[in-house]
Amino acid sequence: MVNGAISDTKYFLIRPKINSITPDSSLVNTAITVNGSSFGTSQGTSKFYINGISVGTAQSWNNTTITCTVPWNATSGPCTVVVNGTVSDTYWYKVKVTIDSTTPKVAWGGDSVYFRGRGFGDTYGYGDTMHAAYFYF
């Protein structure tokens, strides 16, 4: 109010910001902590994504910290927080691949080798199996 006149009301958004993720890389099904600002006091309808994959319900969520588990189908890539439809800046995160087994155990150059494990994502198979990976020696 200036000289008895009411001014216009202006609204602005404060975007969520990711400052760091600890540890700086991890396996799937591992707890991570996202540090930053403007995440909101509770998760509500807000979401945290690792390379486009939602982590679902976080174990803990407050205005500056999110604690969650890396989903089984997550792969390395940009992470974002979405609060009330407002998308944060991106933060790159590395999801480590776990190889549990290979088939066959012995192969010749040019043979197909199948890897079974976690962290491949759907691009290379079905999230837990990498199909038709070729190696030439």
Side-chain angles (χ1 to χ4, degrees):
M1 182 178 283
V2 177
N3 295 329
I6 299 174
S7 65
D8 292 341
T9 302
K10 301 292 182 191
Y11 296 95
F12 61 95
L13 293 173
I14 298 175
R15 287 179 57 192
K17 176 160 179 50
I18 301 172
N19 294 329
S20 66
I21 301 176
T22 54
D24 60 356
S25 64
S26 70
L27 300 169
V28 297
N29 297 324
T30 302
I32 61 172
T33 301
V34 182
N35 301 294
S37 59
S38 303
F39 297 154
T41 56
S42 64
Q43 184 171 7
T45 60
S46 299
K47 301 213 180 280
F48 174 65
Y49 295 92
I50 300 174
N51 202 14
I53 303 296
S54 172
V55 301
T57 302
Q59 286 86 359
S60 171
W61 187 297
N62 64 48
N63 201 41
T64 59
T65 307
I66 301 167
T67 302
C68 58
T69 301
V70 177
W72 71 272
N73 57 343
T75 55
S76 298
C79 296
T80 56
V81 178
V82 180
V83 178
N84 295 325
T86 302
V87 181
S88 71
D89 57 336
T90 59
Y91 189 95
W92 185 267
Y93 192 71
K94 181 178 179 180
V95 177
K96 298 176 184 177
V97 171
T98 300
I99 298 174
D100 296 324
S101 65
T102 60
T103 303
K105 298 284 185 204
V106 177
W108 295 96
D111 288 350
S112 294
V113 179
Y114 295 85
F115 294 91
R116 186 146 183 89
R118 293 169 301 285
F120 301 125
D122 294 328
T123 302
Y124 298 107
Y126 300 104
D128 62 353
T129 304
M130 180 185 285
H131 294 278
Y134 296 95
F135 293 90
Y136 296 94
F137 301 95

